[in-house]
């Protein structure tokens, strides 16, 4: 039996909606596990990445831990994919980029409606926020971009099966229009 491809996934500054979309391939996941083996991913809950054929990143880069995880994925993955609008262009989290970071923190933790015991968290365990949220290609080289918020399960399925079979990746129009 041919060796399985190793696949890792991670969510940086995202909402896990893209990972939900992976799971939305439903029973096709049984076909997938015939040809891939999952390494570090929220699906296996493995926390440390090994050498992989494919790394799939959800979410943009918003804090120091995101930078570290992303660089580690780039080091270990032969092919790296930006999955979803947040990874591709920053998405919803990048909406804070038009404001100063201090203003965002004060709005969230001091002046926000319904905030009790106001105070900006200050604990060394909390990853430091970056001034701006970045799409992942601003930090590492990215091989493929999979747009959508989230990309549909069918789009992810087309991408994975064509990538794994070595055929050029081509999506039917219905999988890449968003109106
Ligand atoms: S692209 Fe959409 S679904 Fe995916 S992490 Fe961002 S907000 Fe969530």
């Amino acid at each position: 039996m041919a060796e399985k491809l190793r696949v890792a996934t991670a969510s940086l500054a995202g909402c896990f909606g893209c990972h939900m979309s992976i799971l939305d391939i439903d029973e096709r996941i049984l076909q997938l596990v015939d040809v891939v083996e999952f390494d570090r991913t929220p699906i296996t809950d493995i926390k440390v990445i090994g050498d992989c054929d494919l790394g799939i990143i959800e979410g943009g880069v918003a804090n120091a831990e995101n930078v570290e995880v992303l660089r580690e994925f780039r080091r270990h993955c032969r092919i790296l994919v930006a999955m979803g609008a947040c990874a591709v262009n920053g998405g919803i989290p990048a909406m804070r980029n038009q404001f100063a970071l201090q203003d965002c923190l004060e709005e969230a933790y001091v002046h926000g409606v319904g905030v009790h015991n106001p105070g900006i968290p200050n604990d060394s365990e909390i990853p430091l926020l970056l001034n701006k949220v970045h799409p992942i290609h601003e930090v590492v080289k990215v091989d493929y971009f999979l747009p959508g918020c989230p990309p549909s399960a069918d789009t992810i399925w087309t991408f994975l099966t064509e990538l794994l079979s070595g055929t050029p990746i081509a999506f039917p129009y219905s999988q890449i229009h968003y109106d």
Side-chain angles (χ1 to χ4, degrees):
M1 184 177 152
E3 210 172 301
K4 292 184 176 184
L5 293 182
R6 286 194 78 79
V7 178
T9 77
S11 179
L12 307 181
C15 74
F16 275 93
C18 290
H19 274 81
M20 290 297 116
S21 217
I22 295 178
L23 295 180
D24 210 26
I25 65 174
D26 294 330
E27 70 280 1
R28 289 173 290 186
I29 203 159
L30 297 175
Q31 284 171 255
L32 194 61
V33 294
D34 276 343
V35 289
V36 310
E37 194 164 11
F38 285 107
D39 192 271
R40 174 183 170 160
T41 163
I43 298 167
T44 59
D45 208 23
I46 294 173
K47 310 286 190 202
V48 180
I49 188 170
D51 286 338
C52 289
D53 300 291
L54 177 62
I56 301 175
I57 299 289
E58 165 194 298
V61 184
N63 64 37
E65 185 193 31
N66 296 159
V67 175
E68 198 179 307
V69 171
L70 181 56
R71 287 191 172 146
E72 204 173 18
F73 263 66
R74 182 65 279 182
R75 273 199 301 278
H76 285 280
C77 299
R78 197 163 49 81
I79 298 170
L80 194 67
V81 183
M83 175 176 65
C86 296
V88 172
N89 59 28
I92 298 287
M95 290 174 72
R96 78 161 161 90
N97 288 357
Q98 59 189 307
F99 304 102
L101 178 57
Q102 185 65 25
D103 291 344
C104 295
L105 289 168
E106 286 179 8
E107 179 62 25
Y109 295 107
V110 179
H111 306 304
V113 176
V115 170
H116 299 283
N117 301 321
I120 296 173
N122 181 18
D123 188 311
S124 58
E125 290 290 316
I126 301 175
L128 275 181
L129 287 175
L130 305 183
N131 274 336
K132 301 292 178 195
V133 178
H134 299 268
I136 69 169
H137 71 266
E138 289 186 3
V139 180
V140 295
K141 175 179 174 290
V142 172
D143 300 295
Y144 290 96
F145 296 85
L146 200 51
C149 181
S152 70
D154 287 341
T155 308
I156 293 170
W157 181 250
T158 300
F159 174 75
L160 287 176
T161 50
E162 295 192 346
L163 183 72
L164 295 176
S165 68
T167 50
I169 296 160
F171 297 103
Y173 177 69
S174 61
Q175 290 181 10
I176 50 168
H177 81 96
Y178 304 104
D179 51 3

